[in-house]
Amino acid sequence: QVQLVESGGGLVQPGGSLRLSCAASGSTFKFYTGGWYRQTPGKERELVANITSGGSTNYADFVKGRFTISSDNAKNTVYLRMNSLKPEDTGVYYCTGKRTLFEVRYWGQGTQVTVSS
């Protein structure tokens, strides 16, 4: 049974940093693509960043220069380093991934990120 489990969320002050981790478990699971979406108040779920198993990345405009996505294929883990956090970054962050291009996308349960003074 495939599971994606996020960790690293929490409360941080504006300008601070957090590092989110997404660990994949289950038989034979390896990320073909991995990524992060977020759900913020009053908005639909939106892409934050994604990465391929080969290391190619892309980012939403609102996080470019602040967030960095990375992965450790040997550990089946995807990370999101978030710097210079703003109150508007507050929301639930969801890990997502695929084992192959044509397979269903898997989702984690979400981790809360709150940026507040």
Side-chain angles (χ1 to χ4, degrees), residues 34-81:
W36 295 89
Y37 285 69
R38 73 184 186 188
Q39 187 87 51
T40 58
K43 300 181 68 176
E44 296 183 0
R45 187 177 297 186
E46 59 190 349
L47 174 70
V48 176
N50 75 277
I51 188 168
T52 71
S53 60
S56 297
T57 60
N58 74 283
Y59 298 89
D61 287 342
F62 57 83
V63 303
K64 286 182 178 178
R66 299 191 297 125
F67 292 7
T68 303
I69 189 170
S70 61
S71 63
D72 185 333
N73 292 334
K75 296 181 179 179
N76 296 324
T77 301
V78 175
Y79 305 95
L80 185 69
R81 168 63 70 179

Side-chain angles (χ1 to χ4, degrees), residues 71-98:
S71 63
D72 185 333
N73 292 334
K75 296 181 179 179
N76 296 324
T77 301
V78 175
Y79 305 95
L80 185 69
R81 168 63 70 179
M82 304 185 293
N83 295 325
S84 302
L85 283 161
K86 306 173 182 179
E88 53 263 43
D89 293 319
T90 294
V92 180
Y93 284 70
Y94 296 90
C95 178
T96 186
K98 288 185 174 184

